[in-house]
Amino acid sequence: VGANVGWARAETTVAFSGVEDFSRSASGGAFGGQIGCDVQFGSNWVIGIQGMLDGTNVDVDRDSVRFPNTSFRAEVERFGTITGRLGYAITPAFLLYGKLGWGSYKTTIAAHSTVFGDLGSVSHTHSGLDVGVGGEWMFAPSWSLFIEWDRILPKETTVFFPRLAGGTTATVDRELDKVLVGINWRFGGGQS
């Protein structure tokens, strides 16, 4: 069990009726925690499972191309992953690993017009494949530090803005990258 802090970047593409309106990336901080378990086998191999939940402050504003005097604000509120880990202990204290599993993150997209004011917002949870790599160093019998990169590749989603142009559907495509540094406390004193 442990805590982490790091960086996250979201790439957002919004299209109306199949025509791209804007594409923008934004980055910000991330912070949260993780819980999991590992089993060492075959002397150097480690297999495990991990659950992670983080909050973030990633947001971006962008003027609409299709709708004059209208801007969109996209925010990533939080993300979570459940992944399997497979690693190889290069030394008794240092593990290199890969991750594969499921990830999701909650976003809010708000539309605002300089003429009509607030045009409403839509919150949606995007989910899909999560892949990543990392390294973990056991610096004391029960404590370890890790650094890892992950990417969540969600499915394209459709959202509806009821007050935008009398009701408009948008297609939203997002990808989320994250680099996290964390600390873990291991039950059993890190014994294999």
Side-chain angles (χ1 to χ4, degrees):
V1 64
N4 66 75
V5 65
W7 167 90
R9 182 188 67 85
E11 177 75 32
T12 304
T13 302
V14 177
F16 295 94
S17 302
V19 179
E20 184 178 304
D21 190 281
F22 71 86
S23 181
R24 190 77 178 253
S25 65
S27 59
F31 52 91
Q34 65 277 344
I35 188 168
C37 66
D38 292 320
V39 176
Q40 189 166 343
F41 66 97
S43 74
N44 290 79
W45 290 96
V46 176
I47 190 168
I49 188 168
Q50 181 189 65
M52 183 176 283
L53 183 63
D54 283 70
T56 184
N57 64 352
V58 177
D59 58 65
V60 64
D61 292 297
R62 182 72 175 187
D63 290 335
S64 173
V65 173
R66 182 171 176 185
F67 302 100
N69 305 311
T70 301
S71 63
F72 292 95
R73 181 176 183 82
E75 300 177 351
V76 178
E77 299 175 24
R78 61 182 177 267
F79 60 82
T81 60
I82 298 175
T83 55
R85 297 196 322 162
L86 179 63
Y88 187 80
I90 296 191
T91 71
F94 187 71
L95 175 73
L96 288 177
Y97 61 88
K99 299 175 66 173
L100 181 65
W102 172 87
S104 72
Y105 52 96
K106 184 178 180 184
T107 62
T108 299
I109 300 177
H112 182 81
S113 169
T114 56
V115 177
F116 302 106
D118 182 18
L119 298 175
S121 64
V122 177
S123 290
H124 195 274
T125 299
H126 306 257
S127 60
L129 183 68
D130 180 81
V131 295
V133 294
E136 189 166 5
W137 171 55
M138 185 161 295
F139 63 90
S142 295
W143 293 96
S144 64
L145 290 171
F146 71 87
I147 183 168
E148 66 179 41
W149 164 84
D150 288 59
R151 172 172 272 195
I152 300 175
L153 300 161
K155 298 176 182 176
E156 190 177 77
T157 57
T158 301
V159 296
F160 182 70
F161 291 94
R163 296 181 57 201
L164 179 62
T168 303
T169 299
T171 302
V172 180
D173 187 18
R174 299 197 88 166
E175 294 181 357
L176 182 75
D177 287 288
K178 51 194 169 69
V179 176
L180 301 173
V181 176
I183 189 166
N184 286 316
W185 183 79
R186 295 180 169 272
F187 296 90
Q191 297 173 6
S192 57

